[in-house]
Amino acid sequence: MRKALGKRARLVTVGSGGHGVYLSNGNACGDHKVTTFLRKGSRPKKDAYCAG
């Protein structure tokens, strides 16, 4: 997916199982990155990995 989206996107990977992990698994790192994008429209400077 990352390759298909190219340079215009950022990939935030959360090291927890399941689909749709935003606000549902207690991963503060992932939740913060997505919330920042939704509120401010700013993306991380590079792809990010948030350990589970």
Side-chain angles (χ1 to χ4, degrees), residues 17-31:
H19 182 77
V21 297
Y22 178 57
L23 298 178
S24 65
N25 71 350
N27 187 294
C29 169
D31 292 347

Side-chain angles (χ1 to χ4, degrees), residues 10-14 22-23 27-51:
R10 300 296 181 270
L11 178 66
V12 177
T13 303
V14 176
Y22 178 57
L23 298 178
N27 187 294
C29 169
D31 292 347
H32 174 73
K33 293 191 182 305
V34 174
T35 299
T36 298
F37 173 73
L38 293 173
R39 293 183 71 205
K40 299 178 180 180
S42 59
R43 301 172 294 161
K45 293 182 188 280
K46 60 182 182 175
D47 292 346
Y49 176 77
C50 297

